[in-house]
Amino acid sequence: GRGVSVDIDPNYSGNENWGSRGGLVAADGTVILEGHTERPAQMNFAIWWDGDLLRELLDGTNIYKWNPQTSSSEVIFEGSAFNAVSNNGTKATPSLSADLFGDWREEVVFANTDSTELMIFSTTIPTDIRLPTLMHDVQYRESIAWQNVAYNQPPHPSFYLGSDTDTALTSIREWPQF
């Protein structure tokens, strides 16, 4: 099966983890939701899209926001409205997801239905969070490359970036491994 480890719930420190079997588990091992029907159904890709440091879930051509209060995922972007298509069958991956244009949040690239265009989508949601671009991190840049030359997986920086990250570290020199 599949599984992901990303921060989607600000009530727990670190990343939450889930896969095609079991429930939703916090980084410290706390079981948040036991059953596989209660955890997010999306487990293919993750993306920093809206204005907070929680990651959103990218599945097919949709981006979802996990709502911990209702234990449900809500669509916040629908790529099919623009004739976007995903790759790789049931894995349903984008052509690329990456911090391409520079404010630390990620863009997503899809082909159109007849494969005559590559379309780049960027969030229009404002944010007050100011961080260095993710492309400044060597591991993140390498993870962008692995999407196209190896097994297609969501990119991850070499450091933790989540709801409990201290955003006072705004200088590149203060961030780890840059």
Side-chain angles (χ1 to χ4, degrees):
R2 295 190 180 104
V4 290
S5 180
V6 295
D7 188 16
I8 59 169
D9 189 336
N11 300 308
Y12 297 89
S13 182
N15 286 344
E16 288 71 50
N17 310 279
W18 69 100
S20 55
R21 305 259 193 272
L24 182 63
V25 180
D28 67 1
T30 301
V31 176
I32 301 168
L33 297 168
E34 291 213 24
H36 70 278
T37 57
E38 289 85 31
R39 55 123 171 96
Q42 302 79 28
M43 63 191 80
N44 288 331
F45 257 64
I47 187 169
W48 280 288
W49 185 261
D50 66 6
D52 62 34
L53 291 174
L54 295 170
R55 265 183 125 173
E56 285 66 51
L57 307 172
L58 173 57
D59 194 68
T61 60
N62 290 341
I63 297 174
Y64 300 83
K65 180 74 172 180
W66 176 251
N67 184 333
Q69 285 71 40
T70 62
S71 298
S72 63
S73 300
E74 301 162 359
V75 176
I76 60 172
F77 173 80
E78 195 169 348
S80 62
F82 303 94
N83 295 319
V85 295
S86 58
N87 300 318
N88 301 323
T90 61
K91 190 156 186 245
T93 59
S95 297
L96 182 72
S97 69
D99 177 10
L100 297 172
F101 300 136
D103 80 341
W104 70 266
R105 292 178 295 169
E106 296 168 303
E107 286 72 37
V108 63
V109 181
F110 293 110
N112 66 347
T113 53
D114 61 0
S115 294
T116 59
E117 298 176 352
L118 281 177
M119 301 177 291
I120 303 172
F121 297 94
S122 184
T123 186
T124 59
I125 301 168
T127 185
D128 293 331
I129 299 170
R130 301 292 179 248
L131 300 172
T133 67
L134 297 177
M135 285 294 204
H136 280 90
D137 182 52
V138 172
Q139 178 178 302
Y140 186 84
R141 285 195 310 273
E142 289 174 356
S143 69
I144 300 310
W146 81 43
Q147 285 187 61
N148 288 289
V149 298
Y151 193 65
N152 194 274
Q153 294 292 320
H156 295 282
S158 64
F159 56 92
Y160 172 73
L161 183 58
S163 61
D164 49 343
T165 297
D166 181 1
T167 59
L169 300 175
T170 57
S171 166
I172 289 173
R173 287 181 294 276
E174 298 173 34
W175 281 84
Q177 299 185 22
F178 279 67

